[in-house]
Amino acid sequence: MPLDATVLIFSYGTLQDRAVQLANFGRELSGALDSLPGYSVSLIAIRDPGVVATSGKTHHSIAERSANLADEVAGMVFKITPTELAAADRYEVSEYTRVLVTLKSGLQAWAYVRA
């Protein structure tokens, strides 16, 4: 993949925060509203002091597959580079795994969900 290629990432949590974007990507992202069907959100405690310092939050949202097909998680879809995706991988704690999902809009994007 060329270095200037773009990938889509779906965020329903701290990756939408300006401070987190600046810390991880060195820039503020602009995106579009979208949602992730078939998932629900809960909170998890974050034990990584670096992540807590960056986000300013001790608990983050985490999405997981729902038995209720009507469930969906609201968020934003952003265009980022492969290098920025690697930075997002480093930021997310071990409770998350990155998966390719299909959003309500029909777009395919990477999302971090419960591992």
Side-chain angles (χ1 to χ4, degrees):
M1 186 179 299
L3 291 178
D4 62 348
T6 57
V7 295
L8 297 178
I9 188 169
F10 177 74
S11 171
Y12 54 88
T14 60
L15 285 176
Q16 295 179 67
D17 296 347
R18 182 177 184 272
V20 172
Q21 292 174 2
L22 291 174
N24 286 286
F25 311 129
R27 68 184 179 104
E28 192 171 351
L29 304 178
S30 60
L33 291 172
D34 212 328
S35 63
L36 178 56
Y39 281 76
S40 62
V41 169
S42 58
L43 287 176
I44 59 166
I46 301 299
R47 291 171 191 70
D48 183 317
V51 172
V52 172
T54 300
S55 72
K57 297 176 178 145
T58 58
H59 289 75
H60 290 190
S61 298
I62 191 163
E64 60 190 319
R65 282 215 172 270
S66 172
N68 183 351
L69 296 179
D71 282 346
E72 63 182 56
V73 176
M76 297 282 291
V77 62
F78 299 107
K79 287 183 183 175
I80 62 172
T81 67
T83 301
E84 290 168 333
L85 185 61
D89 285 345
R90 288 189 296 275
Y91 168 74
E92 296 294 355
V93 296
S94 62
E95 286 85 355
Y96 294 87
T97 188
R98 179 165 50 91
V99 296
L100 195 59
V101 297
T102 301
L103 302 174
K104 191 170 189 174
S105 65
L107 292 173
Q108 284 206 309
W110 292 108
Y112 295 92
V113 300
R114 187 177 296 274

